[in-house]
Every structure is written in structure tokens, then in C-alpha cells.
Amino acid sequence: MILENTDLTAYKELVGKIPQLKKEIAKVIVGQESVIEEIIITLLAGGHCLLEGVPGLAKTLMVNSLSQGMDLNFKRIQFTPDLMPGDILGTEILEEDHETGKKFFQFNRGPIFANMVLADEINRTPPKTQAALLEAMQEKVVTYGGQQHPLPVPFLIIATQNPIEQSGTYPLPEAQLDRFLLYIKLGYPSEQEELNVLERTTGTYNGKPEVVFTGRDIQNLQKLTREVHIDSHLLVYINKLIRATRPGNSEVQSVIDYVEWGAGTRAGQALILCAKARALVKGRYAVTPEDIKTLAFPVLRHRLSLHFRAEAENILPDAVITKILEALPIHASK
């Protein structure tokens, strides 16, 4: 059943506008369709994502364009070693009532109070500042001076990491990585895509995304995402898949050889929600095996802790996930 007591036609119209959003983003961003799709999936599933890519691949422009297409307030925070929690969350300042002369503290909201926040190079700031951001992500409120300040709805954090120049950085611990719904990898464009970028950005072209969705539309799509159907045998499969990542009870040789700690229960929840969101993005109201196979990589790659042997043999999490999927074939029906 799709959202009781609602206009089904209106929701079908919303789903039908998702391809239009992609077209609007394509006015600014060349290629990177899978990355844009995974960010939209993160938003519809109500989570946050970690985006990894080398400098110069237009990560900020991509996120800003998405916010414009959805009429969402966008803020960018550049993380640096001297960034403090108050620089993100906000702080109290002393104010004076000009009529009474009385002084009082007023909470001055930080840049995290936006619908879509780009936390740029999150691994370049100390753990206490990282923790402040991650706590706000989880609780969706900022607590200051004993008062709670709700964050906007919808709310999406896109944190970026630079895979190079790791000296002087503060890698996120595994427990904090687990708070991100997806770990998205941004690769180099193809030769033709890169040529198109060069032509666009050095000429007179000035594309700008038109608004496709409002914040209320996104909230409705988030509700609709949870109503997407998933067969019981697919739930059983996802449960087996997550359990197969744990070396203590896995029969997959790559897991036994290279994984120190497998994924927790939160990974299964993330995979189900993201599979539902992907189905919706594709215009469907039921999850298919393809949704699960596609999203297994961004859901699991940051939730597998590999030990020294994997590093010595240059084995990455994606290679282990591939072996797990090969060992556990998935079928459309029982």
C-alpha cells in the first residue's frame, strides 16, 4: 500500500519528476550520473553520505546544483585543523535589549543549519570537531547551553574526503564511518565527458538548474521510500549478505582471509532503505535484486575493516564485496 490517506496520483507525479531533476543537474554537471543518483538515493533514504574524490572534480558544484534543483538551502564548510565545534554548530553571543538595558545571550546559528551541507575534507579537522558534526547528523538537533535547536527538514550532510595527501589528516574511526549511509566514490570523467567540461567551462555557456522539487516534495518522497515493497526473500538475502561479511560466521574465503570486522546490523537497514530509494528513483514501487547488488558496494565498503594482510596484498573492500556477491547469488524469486 502506498501511503494511506494520500493522493496516489500526486505521488506518482512526484516520482515521475525525478528524471527531470537529473536533466536539470546535467545542465551544470557533465557525466557522473551514478554519483548524482546515489546522492539522491541518500536524500530519499533520509541519511548522509561520504563522497571521496580527488580535487578538481566539481564536488562542490555538484552538491550546490542538486540543492538548486530541489530548492534547498545549501551551505559549505571547509574543514581545517583549527576548526572548532562552535564554527559549525554556532555559539552564543551577548546581546543587549536597547529598551530595558538588560543583557542576554542569543544563540547565533552556525552553517550546519541548512538543508544540504557540504562538509569539505572532513578528515582534515580534529576528532572533537568531527564528533560535533556527526552527533548533529545522528540527532538532527544542536544542543547548546541546555537548549535544543532542531535542524532543518529535510537535512543532508555530504562529507568529502581527499584520497591523496593523507599526511596531517584525521581519518574517521570505523564507528563514525558507520553513521554514513553510503560511501560514494567519485572517479575521473571519460575522455568525451572531460572534453565537454573543457568546452563548457571556458566558453560562454552558463547553464543553471531549474527548481524541480520543493523541500515538502522531498519529505513526501522520503515517506514514500519507506512504503516501497520488498519481498520477504530479498530481506532474507540481505540478512545473509550482511552476516557473510563477518569472518566469524562467513564461508566466503576472501572474508576469512582479509576481513577483521564485518558489517553490523545498521548496514542491513541501510541496504534495505537505499534499495527502496533506488527503486523509486527508477520509477518502481518494488525492490529488485539489481537494486541490492548495485548498492551493496557503497553501503558496505566503509563498513568492512580489513586487516594487515589485505593491505599487504593491495586488497580493497570492493574486491571483498564482489567475492561475497559471487558466493551468494541472488534470484528474483524463491
Side-chain angles (χ1 to χ4, degrees), residues 89-107:
L89 306 179
T91 185
E92 286 185 334
I93 57 175
L94 188 62
E95 297 278 2
E96 181 178 350
D97 190 321
H98 295 294
E99 294 184 359
T100 63
K102 290 184 178 181
K103 295 182 179 180
F104 60 95
F105 284 101
Q106 177 73 38
F107 180 68

Side-chain angles (χ1 to χ4, degrees), residues 13 25 43 58 96 177 182 186 207 218 228 231 283 309:
E13 289 178 358
I25 305 307
L43 181 61
E96 181 178 350
L177 282 172
L182 294 184
L186 181 63
I218 297 300
V228 172
D231 285 343
R309 181 179 172 185

Side-chain angles (χ1 to χ4, degrees), residues 80-226:
T80 57
D82 60 348
L83 196 72
M84 300 296 289
D87 298 327
I88 300 171
L89 306 179
T91 185
E92 286 185 334
I93 57 175
L94 188 62
E95 297 278 2
E96 181 178 350
D97 190 321
H98 295 294
E99 294 184 359
T100 63
K102 290 184 178 181
K103 295 182 179 180
F104 60 95
F105 284 101
Q106 177 73 38
F107 180 68
N108 188 24
R109 296 185 171 193
I112 198 171
F113 286 88
N115 298 113
M116 191 173 287
V117 179
L118 179 65
D120 215 358
E121 295 190 297
I122 190 175
N123 57 335
R124 295 203 176 276
T125 203
K128 68 177 180 181
T129 306
Q130 293 174 349
L133 175 74
L134 294 165
E135 182 181 2
M137 284 168 44
Q138 186 74 14
E139 306 299 331
K140 298 188 177 179
V141 296
V142 169
T143 302
Y144 197 101
Q147 297 294 320
Q148 288 192 337
H149 305 273
L151 290 166
V153 179
F155 178 61
L156 170 66
I157 294 283
I158 301 174
T160 71
Q161 282 192 153
N162 185 346
I164 59 177
E165 300 179 34
Q166 292 302 314
S167 59
T169 62
Y170 305 85
L172 290 170
E174 284 79 3
Q176 294 189 0
L177 282 172
D178 191 47
R179 295 178 184 271
F180 289 98
L181 198 67
L182 294 184
Y183 184 0
I184 304 169
K185 291 199 171 184
L186 181 63
Y188 287 111
S190 67
E191 183 176 357
Q192 184 59 51
E193 289 171 347
E194 195 157 18
L195 179 60
N196 292 341
V197 171
L198 296 176
E199 290 176 342
R200 279 191 183 187
T201 56
T202 58
T204 59
Y205 179 80
N206 188 25
K208 183 179 179 182
E210 299 292 332
V211 174
V212 178
F213 294 113
T214 65
R216 175 61 64 182
D217 291 336
I218 297 300
Q219 291 180 61
N220 288 332
L221 285 170
Q222 288 175 337
K223 293 176 184 177
L224 187 60
T225 295
R226 289 183 171 265

Side-chain angles (χ1 to χ4, degrees), residues 16-326:
K17 289 165 66 176
I18 294 176
Q20 180 60 34
L21 175 63
K22 293 181 181 180
K23 289 181 181 178
E24 293 299 322
I25 305 307
K27 290 180 179 178
V28 181
I29 302 298
V30 177
Q32 306 294 358
E33 290 89 352
S34 63
V35 173
I36 293 169
E37 184 173 280
E38 287 175 3
I39 294 175
I40 295 172
I41 286 169
T42 304
L43 181 61
L44 296 189
H48 310 279
C49 64
L50 188 62
L51 183 62
E52 183 179 280
V54 299
L57 294 181
K59 294 186 288 292
T60 300
L61 181 61
M62 181 187 298
V63 178
N64 192 15
S65 300
L66 274 165
S67 67
Q68 291 177 25
M70 294 181 282
D71 198 24
L72 300 178
N73 186 18
F74 168 74
K75 292 287 179 65
R76 176 182 174 271
I77 306 171
Q78 177 62 57
F79 281 75
T80 57
D82 60 348
L83 196 72
M84 300 296 289
D87 298 327
I88 300 171
L89 306 179
T91 185
E92 286 185 334
I93 57 175
L94 188 62
E95 297 278 2
E96 181 178 350
D97 190 321
H98 295 294
E99 294 184 359
T100 63
K102 290 184 178 181
K103 295 182 179 180
F104 60 95
F105 284 101
Q106 177 73 38
F107 180 68
N108 188 24
R109 296 185 171 193
I112 198 171
F113 286 88
N115 298 113
M116 191 173 287
V117 179
L118 179 65
D120 215 358
E121 295 190 297
I122 190 175
N123 57 335
R124 295 203 176 276
T125 203
K128 68 177 180 181
T129 306
Q130 293 174 349
L133 175 74
L134 294 165
E135 182 181 2
M137 284 168 44
Q138 186 74 14
E139 306 299 331
K140 298 188 177 179
V141 296
V142 169
T143 302
Y144 197 101
Q147 297 294 320
Q148 288 192 337
H149 305 273
L151 290 166
V153 179
F155 178 61
L156 170 66
I157 294 283
I158 301 174
T160 71
Q161 282 192 153
N162 185 346
I164 59 177
E165 300 179 34
Q166 292 302 314
S167 59
T169 62
Y170 305 85
L172 290 170
E174 284 79 3
Q176 294 189 0
L177 282 172
D178 191 47
R179 295 178 184 271
F180 289 98
L181 198 67
L182 294 184
Y183 184 0
I184 304 169
K185 291 199 171 184
L186 181 63
Y188 287 111
S190 67
E191 183 176 357
Q192 184 59 51
E193 289 171 347
E194 195 157 18
L195 179 60
N196 292 341
V197 171
L198 296 176
E199 290 176 342
R200 279 191 183 187
T201 56
T202 58
T204 59
Y205 179 80
N206 188 25
K208 183 179 179 182
E210 299 292 332
V211 174
V212 178
F213 294 113
T214 65
R216 175 61 64 182
D217 291 336
I218 297 300
Q219 291 180 61
N220 288 332
L221 285 170
Q222 288 175 337
K223 293 176 184 177
L224 187 60
T225 295
R226 289 183 171 265
E227 295 283 347
V228 172
H229 176 72
I230 179 168
D231 285 343
S232 59
H233 80 281
L234 293 179
L235 286 173
V236 171
Y237 174 81
I238 289 174
N239 192 42
K240 289 181 178 179
L241 180 66
I242 300 305
R243 295 180 66 82
T245 67
R246 303 165 189 166
N249 58 4
S250 180
E251 297 180 358
V252 182
Q253 193 61 45
S254 290
V255 174
I256 297 170
D257 290 342
Y258 301 119
V259 178
E260 185 172 13
W261 296 100
T265 305
R266 186 181 289 166
Q269 297 169 325
L271 187 50
I272 292 168
L273 280 174
C274 290
K276 288 185 174 187
R278 185 178 188 272
L280 210 60
V281 168
K282 298 297 184 182
R284 292 183 272 102
Y285 299 96
V287 173
T288 66
E290 185 63 27
D291 297 324
I292 297 170
K293 288 191 292 184
T294 300
L295 290 165
F297 293 93
V299 166
L300 293 175
R301 63 169 56 112
H302 58 302
R303 293 182 165 99
L304 300 184
S305 179
L306 308 187
H307 52 55
F308 66 92
R309 181 179 172 185
E311 184 176 356
E313 297 183 22
N314 199 27
I315 300 297
L316 299 177
D318 281 19
V320 177
I321 296 167
T322 298
K323 293 297 184 182
I324 296 171
L325 292 172
E326 289 174 354

